[in-house]
Amino acid sequence: MRMSVRSLAVLALTLSAATTAVHAAGDPARGKTIGYTCLGCHGVVAYKNVYPTYSVPKLAGQHPEYLAAALKGYKTSQRSHATMHAQAASMSDQDIEDVAAYFAGTALKPTTGGTGTAPAALATCVSCHGKDGVGLTPDYPTLSGQYADYLERALEEYKKGARRNPIMLGFASTLKPEEMKALGEYYAKQRPQLETLPRRTSILSRK
């Protein structure tokens, strides 16, 4: 039987509370040294994945805990992406924590609410990502200001199983393509927004 949206939200909050404490502290200075190759894609504004074509995500301002979890997902093939798997497979758990800390910098803080007209499907997202798109706990990704086509692609991958996450599968499986597109466009317009980490600018100098 398919779980209700409310049940999925409760389960997501429970799992997050149980896992948040297990993350090791990352060293952003070391992460800058070992993560320089990542800037070839993630340090270029509006850089596109070749095939399928969609924008490479912005990482600056993201929760480091989420970035670490995502890298571990690529490493263990819980997320399907050949290039990201190759990058993550060579990294130790501490390497991953350090790179995540470097790219994230200071995580964004929630605002008082979203701007613009919220799509109806937003009701499936706010319990974890908030109305303004800033993840409510460190394990939930911030979506605010992210590229719309990347968010749409991520939802498609959760729905198809290319990203193996039972919580997101439950949410994404209820969405139609036009709803995914509307959600991506809505969250892309929110503030505060994620940023692309410039290749020649240290994340340690961001204010």
Side-chain angles (χ1 to χ4, degrees):
M1 181 180 295
R2 179 176 295 176
M3 297 178 69
S4 68
V5 169
R6 182 175 181 179
S7 296
L8 284 166
V10 171
L11 178 58
L13 288 168
T14 301
L15 291 175
S16 177
T19 59
T20 298
V22 304
H23 293 287
D27 178 353
R30 181 172 181 270
K32 179 183 179 182
T33 299
I34 64 178
Y36 72 95
T37 58
C38 305
L39 293 173
C41 295
H42 293 286
V44 181
V45 175
Y47 188 82
K48 299 283 187 179
N49 187 74
V50 177
Y51 182 81
T53 302
Y54 58 89
S55 300
V56 170
K58 304 173 186 178
L59 303 182
Q62 186 59 268
H63 293 301
E65 294 88 347
Y66 169 74
L67 292 181
L71 281 168
K72 291 173 183 177
Y74 286 119
K75 182 176 182 176
T76 60
S77 297
Q78 294 297 303
R79 291 188 175 203
S80 178
H81 191 286
T83 301
M84 285 302 302
H85 173 70
Q87 289 282 341
S90 65
M91 301 169 69
S92 69
D93 285 351
Q94 190 59 56
D95 291 341
I96 286 174
E97 298 290 347
D98 294 345
V99 168
Y102 166 60
F103 272 94
T106 302
L108 303 181
K109 303 298 182 183
T111 60
T112 55
T115 60
T117 303
L122 190 70
T124 68
C125 308
V126 294
S127 59
C128 297
H129 302 289
K131 191 174 180 181
D132 63 356
V134 178
L136 300 183
T137 77
D139 289 297
Y140 298 152
T142 287
L143 311 179
S144 179
Q146 185 59 272
Y147 294 117
D149 62 335
Y150 169 76
L151 295 177
E152 184 179 357
R153 175 69 188 182
L155 285 170
E156 291 174 353
E157 290 184 352
Y158 282 122
K159 186 171 185 175
K160 295 176 180 177
R163 295 190 181 194
R164 301 175 196 170
N165 181 302
I167 303 300
M168 283 304 302
L169 172 62
F171 283 123
S173 64
T174 68
L175 299 174
K176 299 176 182 178
E178 58 270 26
E179 292 175 317
M180 294 182 186
K181 182 177 179 64
L183 285 169
E185 292 176 346
Y186 172 81
Y187 276 126
K189 296 175 183 177
Q190 301 309 303
R191 299 292 183 273
Q193 66 174 13
L194 296 168
E195 300 174 2
T196 298
L197 179 64
R199 290 186 181 186
R200 297 182 180 178
T201 301
S202 170
I203 195 68
L204 301 177
S205 67
R206 290 178 70 242
K207 296 181 180 180

